[in-house]
Amino acid sequence: MLPTEAQEFKLTGIGASPGICIGKAYLVDREGVKVVPKYFINPDRTANEINRFKKAVVKAKEDLRQIISRMPEDLQHQTNILETHLLLFDDKMLFGRTIDFIDQDKVNAEWALKTVVGQIKSMFRSMEDAYLKERVSDIIHVSDRIMHYLTGAEAVKISEIDKRVILVARDLSPADTSQIQLERIKGFLTDVGGKTSHTGIIARTLDIPAVLGLVNATALIRNDDILIVDGNNGVVIINPEDHTLVEYEERQERYEAYRARITRESHLQALTADGEVIKVQGNIELPEEVVSVIDNGGDGIGLYRTEFQYMNRSEFPDEFELFDKYRDVVEVMAPNPVTIRTLDINGDKALSYTNNGNEVNPVLGLRAIRYCLQNPEVFRTQLRAILRAAAYGNVRILFPMITGCAELENARQMLNEAAESLAAEGIEHNPDIEVGVMIEVPSAVIMADQLAEKCDFFSIGTNDLIQYSLAIDRSNRNVAYLYDPLNPAIIRMVKHVADVARKKKIRVAMCGEMAGEPIHVPILLGLGITEWSMNPHAIPVVKRMVRGLSSIDARKFVKEIVDLTSAEEINRLARERFRIHINSGLVINQE
Amino acid sequence: MNLSQPDLHRPVVIVNELGLHARSAAKIAEVAQNAKHKVWIARDTEKVDAASIIDLLTLGCIKGTEIVVCIESPADQPILNQIIDLVEAGFGE
């Protein structure tokens, strides 16, 4: 039940981005448009209401015509889409039905439009073809434009939020978040999604507190409710009482002071007490996140996930487009390294324009390097773009999902061919880049000694390694309890890879989620892994922890834990032994 | 096809890569709007108004789908031919 009057209550979710904020709730419904009001129209006023709708359509069309006329010629493709949108305005299903609806149900035009669009959407949802299914977005664009004129000056879209608010939504798509004028958002709350969701990544990048996976926040929170968002602990307090407000204002101040302090230190090297240098780097997905890595004092980019540029579109990006983005990142980061991971699609990220949508188990299917080797055109385009960007800074290339030597050899072969073709065409590039292998499949762990002969570095991806080694589906709640980087089998595997790398004298990095958690810091240090890459926000805390540890102690500790039999024991021992260090990284979270 | 003996419906297969998407549907709708009577597009048991882009889209026709173009009056024979030509030419994509 909803509380009838302002009464303090609390919701718990996943703290996806740290920080504390206090502000007013702003509800965004599923479509990213503010909740549409519904009211009835006096029967003799329906003609007026229909006219109001028609006028909005005329204005929206005029608007779009203007946009088209101002479109530069090189965006011809975009223009074509918008011209189709122009035709949609008059479509019987949209225009005609909305008018009928106003007439028959005597409701306001906004509600009629929303209902009609809702019906159209559900027809599209039942379609099988992913590309055609996505075309519903064309209709949403058009109806959004009409809605804008119906509601007049009133802000209806997240792009027009004019006060600093806490956004409450079921979920936010990349399209939604790209519309938000982010300086106006204080915090994010969503019903679904977790740390690795798009909203989570955006929130961390922008340093905005976020609590996600709240299940029913949109049902329980109302517009303009006062909210406290505690992203450190994954807690939301609705309608706080005065004493709660005071308490959180103090916490917020302490947290910000603490962040400021550790961020200042973060630009310095992470040196252990006994003098070992740890390279603490950032993982990024959007090119813009490079700023966050620099702000947080990252020593480079240990994992640049490149899938984002392939998503939310209808065709593959071309070489120049990819090169242009890579070059941005590489130039900004230079002389520090940028490790670009080649396309890893069709696992959890499927593209609408590839035809692999029907695999029963995509995680075990044609994904990542397997997909690239079978689609040489797609792969070659990306390899060429990476080699070209390499001329502008320090680039390393990383191949995902390698299971054995043959795949690595084939990928290297294609890389060489890409370099030769660039050389033959006289295009500026750098063919001498380090080649790395993602160690994320158990077979790659076992074959590490052979793989080491054919590459320059390893990068251990714990997320997939855990999933494949322990045979657990990461998104299956029933088995989520098994997902623990401290599982002794995982510790042993990581140790094996680190030992092989040392013996073969190649570098070994860790780019999985494991690297960003303070409790894992002493273990990684003890395993002899000296390059870590993590969510940019974790960099300052991790660097701070490293400075308080000695690698000799950490190594002794790892010798002890390899013989333990459960994740719980390892966890307990780590907490006992390094309590002070972990707390130094987590002062605020422990409150 | 003997044009002196007009037929009111003709099957055609979608050949363009992206199927019947918004832009291709818009081209059909544009032609259908000039018809004197109604023009329908049928797929299996479903039949939609060829003058509505959204209606056409809801058929979800991917490359390789067979559709049937239907007219109500022989007077719209040129419209039928035009639509068939459009589809067969892959909408010029």
Side-chain angles (χ1 to χ4, degrees):
Chain A
M1 267 305 286
L2 280 172
T4 46
E5 50 187 84
Q7 203 176 1
E8 179 174 314
F9 67 104
K10 193 171 163 180
L11 293 173
T12 313
I14 300 157
S17 175
I20 294 170
C21 70
I22 300 168
K24 278 189 177 175
Y26 187 97
L27 266 96
V28 174
D29 79 6
R30 246 171 240 259
E31 286 74 41
V33 176
K34 194 184 162 193
V35 180
V36 172
K38 177 187 181 179
Y39 52 90
F40 289 96
I41 305 289
N42 198 321
D44 56 6
R45 304 277 301 166
T46 47
N48 284 43
E49 193 63 14
I50 290 170
N51 260 332
R52 194 164 75 85
F53 173 69
K54 286 182 178 167
K55 272 186 196 154
V57 173
V58 170
K59 280 188 192 154
K61 274 172 83 171
E62 186 45 44
D63 224 22
L64 191 57
R65 270 199 204 98
Q66 290 226 352
I67 293 173
I68 294 172
S69 69
R70 283 198 301 261
M71 214 62 154
E73 270 187 27
D74 49 336
L75 292 178
Q76 193 57 41
H77 174 70
Q78 291 280 345
T79 315
N80 289 338
I81 295 173
L82 295 179
E83 273 166 358
T84 310
H85 287 181
L86 266 185
L87 298 170
L88 282 174
F89 278 112
D90 297 321
D91 199 88
K92 287 179 191 172
M93 291 252 301
L94 190 67
F95 187 75
R97 276 204 197 177
T98 305
I99 290 174
D100 291 348
F101 200 89
I102 299 171
D103 197 35
Q104 282 159 22
D105 284 44
K106 316 289 177 210
V107 289
N108 57 318
E110 292 90 338
W111 186 257
L113 178 63
K114 185 191 157 82
T115 311
V116 168
V117 172
Q119 289 165 353
I120 296 174
K121 273 188 215 166
S122 60
M123 286 197 267
F124 275 85
R125 254 195 289 278
S126 58
M127 284 187 194
E128 277 173 18
D129 183 71
Y131 177 76
L132 287 174
K133 203 173 192 160
E134 239 181 56
R135 292 310 90 210
V136 76
S137 63
D138 294 326
I139 294 154
I140 294 169
H141 275 295
V142 168
S143 77
D144 280 356
R145 285 186 186 279
I146 303 173
M147 195 65 93
H148 170 76
Y149 279 103
L150 277 178
T151 47
E154 201 195 329
V156 284
K157 292 183 62 175
I158 29 184
S159 56
E160 286 145 27
I161 293 173
D162 57 355
K163 48 191 176 191
R164 296 210 62 198
V165 291
I166 294 166
L167 218 58
V168 185
R170 207 186 88 79
D171 192 12
L172 288 168
S173 68
D176 292 332
T177 40
S178 68
Q179 283 184 35
I180 301 174
Q181 293 191 302
L182 294 144
E183 67 275 13
R184 290 179 179 154
I185 305 299
K186 282 181 161 178
F188 286 112
L189 303 179
T190 63
D191 289 348
V192 299
K195 276 196 174 182
T196 53
S197 70
H198 182 74
T199 314
I201 292 168
I202 292 284
R204 287 193 297 273
T205 308
L206 297 157
D207 225 340
I208 294 170
V211 180
L212 310 180
L214 286 159
V215 186
N216 51 5
T218 49
L220 297 174
I221 296 172
R222 288 171 297 186
N223 256 329
D224 291 336
D225 275 350
I226 301 285
L227 304 177
I228 296 172
V229 178
D230 178 354
N232 301 332
N233 296 302
V235 168
V236 183
I237 297 165
I238 298 104
N239 301 320
E241 286 169 19
D242 286 350
H243 67 88
T244 318
L245 268 177
V246 172
E247 182 196 325
Y248 270 92
E249 275 167 3
E250 284 169 10
R251 275 201 200 194
Q252 186 181 12
E253 236 170 75
R254 279 204 305 276
Y255 178 77
E256 276 164 15
Y258 161 79
R259 283 289 313 175
R261 195 175 70 236
I262 62 169
T263 310
R264 270 199 305 277
E265 299 168 356
S266 191
H267 293 271
L268 307 170
Q269 258 190 349
L271 208 61
T272 62
D274 49 355
E276 185 158 9
V277 179
I278 303 296
K279 295 278 181 206
V280 185
Q281 306 177 329
N283 293 346
I284 68 166
E285 180 160 6
L286 316 176
E288 295 75 27
E289 287 178 290
V290 67
V291 178
S292 172
V293 175
I294 291 173
D295 287 349
N296 283 296
D299 303 318
I301 288 167
L303 177 64
Y304 178 3
R305 301 185 173 96
T306 54
E307 296 75 38
F308 192 77
Q309 262 181 285
Y310 292 79
M311 298 172 76
N312 295 305
R313 52 189 299 154
S314 57
E315 56 204 6
F316 286 100
D318 64 30
E319 179 183 317
F320 185 80
E321 192 183 336
L322 293 173
F323 158 64
D324 196 43
K325 291 283 187 204
Y326 298 161
R327 179 184 162 172
D328 275 354
V329 173
V330 169
E331 275 186 333
V332 173
M333 208 66 230
N336 283 320
V338 175
T339 311
I340 304 179
R341 183 182 71 184
T342 59
L343 196 53
D344 183 0
I345 44 166
N346 292 335
D348 53 351
K349 290 164 186 154
L351 300 184
S352 55
Y353 47 94
T354 62
N355 288 322
N356 299 302
N358 298 325
E359 290 187 333
V360 177
N361 203 339
V363 173
L364 302 179
L366 186 63
R367 62 174 285 201
I369 198 72
R370 308 167 182 183
Y371 174 86
C372 288
L373 292 174
Q374 286 194 29
N375 292 274
E377 276 312 311
V378 175
F379 198 31
R380 190 170 302 128
T381 305
Q382 186 179 32
L383 294 174
R384 281 172 57 110
I386 293 171
L387 290 166
R388 286 175 67 178
Y392 294 86
N394 184 354
V395 171
R396 299 167 177 173
I397 192 168
L398 184 57
F399 296 125
M401 285 288 288
I402 295 283
T403 58
C405 290
E407 282 162 336
L408 176 58
E409 281 162 9
N410 290 340
R412 289 203 75 136
Q413 173 66 22
M414 286 203 57
L415 183 67
N416 288 341
E417 285 167 15
E420 281 160 18
S421 69
L422 286 167
E425 291 163 43
I427 297 171
E428 188 184 19
H429 70 287
N430 176 8
D432 299 316
I433 60 176
E434 287 188 22
V435 174
V437 168
M438 274 296 271
I439 304 288
E440 53 187 338
V441 183
S443 63
V445 175
I446 293 167
M447 305 306 285
D449 55 330
Q450 293 185 2
L451 291 169
E453 299 283 344
K454 301 178 197 309
C455 68
D456 304 304
F457 67 98
F458 287 153
S459 186
I460 307 173
T462 42
N463 308 358
D464 274 327
L465 187 59
I466 296 170
Q467 153 162 301
Y468 292 127
S469 302
L470 303 179
I472 46 172
D473 176 350
R474 276 205 273 164
S475 55
N476 184 338
R477 279 171 170 256
N478 298 324
V479 293
Y481 71 95
L482 274 169
Y483 187 89
D484 191 337
L486 294 182
N487 184 298
I490 301 300
I491 300 281
R492 287 184 180 197
M493 289 173 110
V494 173
K495 183 170 187 303
H496 175 74
V497 174
D499 290 347
V500 168
R502 196 175 313 114
K503 213 166 104 193
K504 298 280 182 181
K505 298 195 169 56
I506 66 168
R507 283 185 302 106
V508 58
M510 160 73 74
C511 66
E513 271 163 50
M514 187 176 181
E517 292 287 334
I519 180 123
H520 303 147
V521 165
I523 298 172
L524 293 181
L525 191 61
L527 288 169
I529 299 173
T530 53
E531 256 183 48
W532 312 346
S533 192
M534 60 201 65
N535 127 40
H537 215 94
I539 295 170
V541 176
V542 168
K543 277 196 165 182
R544 185 181 168 87
M545 253 192 98
V546 167
R547 295 189 183 111
L549 291 165
S550 114
S551 51
I552 295 169
D553 290 350
R555 247 173 260 143
K556 279 186 201 144
F557 175 68
V558 165
K559 277 205 185 106
E560 287 174 52
I561 61 168
V562 284
D563 292 324
L564 296 180
T565 55
S566 74
E568 290 72 29
E569 279 178 78
I570 296 173
N571 196 318
R572 197 179 326 113
L573 196 62
R575 286 192 189 281
E576 253 172 50
R577 194 69 56 82
F578 297 100
R579 197 182 61 231
I580 304 161
H581 306 95
I582 293 168
N583 284 354
S584 84
L586 283 177
V587 197
I588 299 303
N589 296 13
Q590 297 280 308
E591 281 186 2
Chain B
M1 182 65 54
N2 183 352
L3 287 179
S4 63
Q5 197 182 48
D7 49 355
L8 295 181
H9 40 83
R10 253 163 74 191
V12 65
V13 174
I14 305 283
V15 294
N16 61 314
E17 217 39 61
L18 294 174
L20 198 52
H21 59 102
R23 232 159 46 91
S24 43
K27 286 180 181 161
I28 294 185
E30 223 178 318
V31 176
Q33 276 158 14
N34 294 324
K36 293 175 186 69
H37 303 273
K38 283 246 170 191
V39 181
W40 304 94
I41 304 285
R43 180 197 174 180
D44 303 330
T45 54
E46 274 181 275
K47 196 170 168 185
V48 300
D49 186 344
S52 165
I53 304 167
I54 300 172
D55 237 4
L56 289 170
L57 283 175
T58 59
L59 283 182
C61 299
I62 55 169
K63 184 183 176 184
T65 309
E66 186 183 86
I67 57 169
V68 181
V69 186
C70 314
I71 50 173
E72 291 184 342
S73 146
D76 285 327
Q77 191 64 45
I79 302 284
L80 177 81
N81 292 339
Q82 250 183 297
I83 294 176
I84 297 285
D85 288 348
L86 255 178
V87 179
E88 281 177 347
F91 303 96
E93 279 167 11

